[in-house]
């Protein structure tokens, strides 16, 4: 009996996993990648260190998918974080757990991950074709029959997996091609927008603080309807952890985590402000007592020196300006009103968000193929027979911390095996 033929479009983490699993089950599998080599975007993930997954339980991990967590759940159970770590360990890439449960290759080199995947797909019999951009999915009588490439070549298959990624970092090949392919096959596309993206802020405060990293702070997002003032301002979401000031605004782990909700608020025309609690471990009375203690201990100390025990040096000038406290004012001269302004500022340092960096700079794309049109247990299209999806092309996105790569590998694992077994 002739072997089942499977085509996988896209040589990223989801695509390579899908192709390898398909070939492992005996299907004649062709992996089509438009770049000159597979895994180009994967090489730069985690700043080249490649945060593969997270050690969270699946139940806990579900909390870290703003969109599509319920959909990806069966795939995570089919191919878990433990299974992923074992997979790479068996192929000479041991992993280690770092802060926040993040899992990296022990070498902290994404190239080792890509090399292991590329070697594996070759060993299990996948035919890799690079510089092979797919132009169209071929469909006859509601059944996928193959694909046509941009150069006119045609590949026939019993099943096709689309794993072309999102639309961020287009120079790596992740330029949104898959959305066009899916739409031409009859699928609905949830509007795409950036997720895990740095934010732009008003004024010059961020630029003056460029390079400053704040750890163990709590950032709350406050939104208000369009218009003058903010009488209806309301708290939307918050996160605790580390953030970074840049020349245009803010970035860092918690900013990226919050950015998806901020992008959606900005798209709705809402006013958005970041409220940074610089001392989240201290409530207002405790913080006030701490400031009073410092003043009593060094009454002749200048205000700017007094603040050195509370703030990084680059943030002190901003604090003094925004609280209207004189830098060389002696500590004992600080009035109760000034002390109150200082306390409130330390618990509510505000930055107004004016925008976000473009989609091409986002780590992940939100939106994509409507998951209501895809079977979560097989990754099979509910619209056309023989078509499967895996990875970022789906309307599934996770927070920073390894959740997105795990979803890519898990959905790729399911899609490849389902395509080979259909």
């Amino acid at each position: 009996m002739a072997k089942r033929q499977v085509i996988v479009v896209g040589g990223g983490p989801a695509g390579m996993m899908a192709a390898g699993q398909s070939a492992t089950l005996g299907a004649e599998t062709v992996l089509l990648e438009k770049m000159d080599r597979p895994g180009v975007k994967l090489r730069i993930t985690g700043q080249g260190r490649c945060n593969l997954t997270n050690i969270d339980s699946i139940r806990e991990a579900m909390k870290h998918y703003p969109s599509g967590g319920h959909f990806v759940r069966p795939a995570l159970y089919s191919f878990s974080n433990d299974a992923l770590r074992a997979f790479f360990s068996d192929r000479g890439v041991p992993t280690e757990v770092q802060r926040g449960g993040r899992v990296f290759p022990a070498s902290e080199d994404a190239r080792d991950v890509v090399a292991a995947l590329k070697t594996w797909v070759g060993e299990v019999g996948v035919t890799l074709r690079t510089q092979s951009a797919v132009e169209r999915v071929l469909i006859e009588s509601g059944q996928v029959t193959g694909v046509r490439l941009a150069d006119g070549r045609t590949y026939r298959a019993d099943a096709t997996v689309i794993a072309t990624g999102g639309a961020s970092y287009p120079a790596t090949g992740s330029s949104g091609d898959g959305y066009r392919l899916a739409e031409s096959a009859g699928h609905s596309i949830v509007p795409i927008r950036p997720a895990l993206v740095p934010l732009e802020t008003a004024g010059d405060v961020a630029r003056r603080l460029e390079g400053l990293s704040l750890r163990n702070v709590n950032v709350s997002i406050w939104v208000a309807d369009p218009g003058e003032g903010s009488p209806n301002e309301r708290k939307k979401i918050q996160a605790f952890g580390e953030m970074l000031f840049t020349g245009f605004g803010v970035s860092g782990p918690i900013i990226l985590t919050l950015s998806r909700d901020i992008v959606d608020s900005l798209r709705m025309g809402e006013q958005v402000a970041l409220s940074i609690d610089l001392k989240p471990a201290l409530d207002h009375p405790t913080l006030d007592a701490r400031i009073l203690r410092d003043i009593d201990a060094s009454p002749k100390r200048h205000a700017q020196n007094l603040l050195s025990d509370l703030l990084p040096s680059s943030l002190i000038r901003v604090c003094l300006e925004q609280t209207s406290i004189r830098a060389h004012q002696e500590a004992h001269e600080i009035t109760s009103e000034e002390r109150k302004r200082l306390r409130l500022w330390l618990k509510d340092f505000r930055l107004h968000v004016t925008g976000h960096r473009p989609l091409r700079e986002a780590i992940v794309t939100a939106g994509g193929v409507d998951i209501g049109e895809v079977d979560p247990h097989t990754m099979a299209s509910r619209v056309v027979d023989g078509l499967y999806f895996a990875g970022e092309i789906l309307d599934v996105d996770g927070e920073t911390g390894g959740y997105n790569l795990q979803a890519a590998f898990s959905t790729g694992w399911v899609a490849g095996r389902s395509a080979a077994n259909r």
Side-chain angles (χ1 to χ4, degrees), residues 8-15 32-34 41 132-134 161-168 172-182 369 388-394:
V8 179
V9 184
L32 301 173
E33 166 57 46
K34 75 174 186 179
K41 185 178 178 182
S132 298
V134 173
V161 180
I162 300 181
T164 50
S168 58
T172 66
S174 179
S175 55
D177 298 345
Y179 304 127
R180 174 180 51 79
L181 295 175
V369 174
Y388 298 79
F389 296 97
E392 195 179 347
I393 188 173
L394 293 160

Side-chain angles (χ1 to χ4, degrees), residues 361-378:
E361 295 181 25
I363 296 175
V364 172
T365 306
V369 174
D370 188 338
I371 54 179
E373 300 172 352
V374 180
D375 185 336
H377 298 281
T378 62

Side-chain angles (χ1 to χ4, degrees), residues 166-315:
S168 58
Y169 294 101
T172 66
S174 179
S175 55
D177 298 345
Y179 304 127
R180 174 180 51 79
L181 295 175
E183 202 164 27
S184 70
H187 275 273
S188 305
I189 305 298
V190 176
I192 63 171
R193 63 259 189 224
L196 302 186
V197 66
L199 304 173
E200 298 172 346
T201 57
D204 66 348
V205 169
R207 178 182 56 76
R208 291 165 58 192
L209 297 173
E210 183 174 5
L212 173 63
S213 178
L214 298 177
R215 292 188 175 184
N216 301 320
V217 296
N218 194 79
V219 177
S220 302
I221 304 305
W222 291 81
V223 299
D225 294 332
E228 293 297 324
S230 55
N232 61 344
E233 187 181 51
R234 57 201 179 277
K235 186 176 178 179
K236 185 171 186 178
I237 193 173
Q238 65 180 27
F240 174 83
E242 182 178 351
M243 63 172 289
L244 173 71
F245 290 93
T246 69
F248 52 77
V250 287
S251 186
I254 57 174
I255 297 300
L256 296 176
T257 293
L258 296 167
S259 65
R260 187 186 192 279
D261 287 273
I262 294 172
V263 168
D264 287 345
S265 289
L266 292 171
R267 284 165 61 89
M268 291 188 292
E270 293 178 328
Q271 300 177 59
V272 181
L274 302 178
S275 170
I276 307 170
D277 184 348
L278 296 162
K279 299 296 173 184
L282 304 177
D283 60 17
H284 282 270
T286 305
L287 180 57
D288 193 42
R290 159 74 189 275
I291 295 170
L292 277 171
R293 230 179 13 253
D294 290 349
I295 290 173
D296 290 342
S298 304
K300 294 288 189 181
R301 201 174 183 189
H302 287 169
Q304 64 179 8
N305 296 326
L306 185 77
L307 290 176
S308 65
D309 294 334
L310 287 168
L311 295 170
S313 58
S314 57
L315 195 51

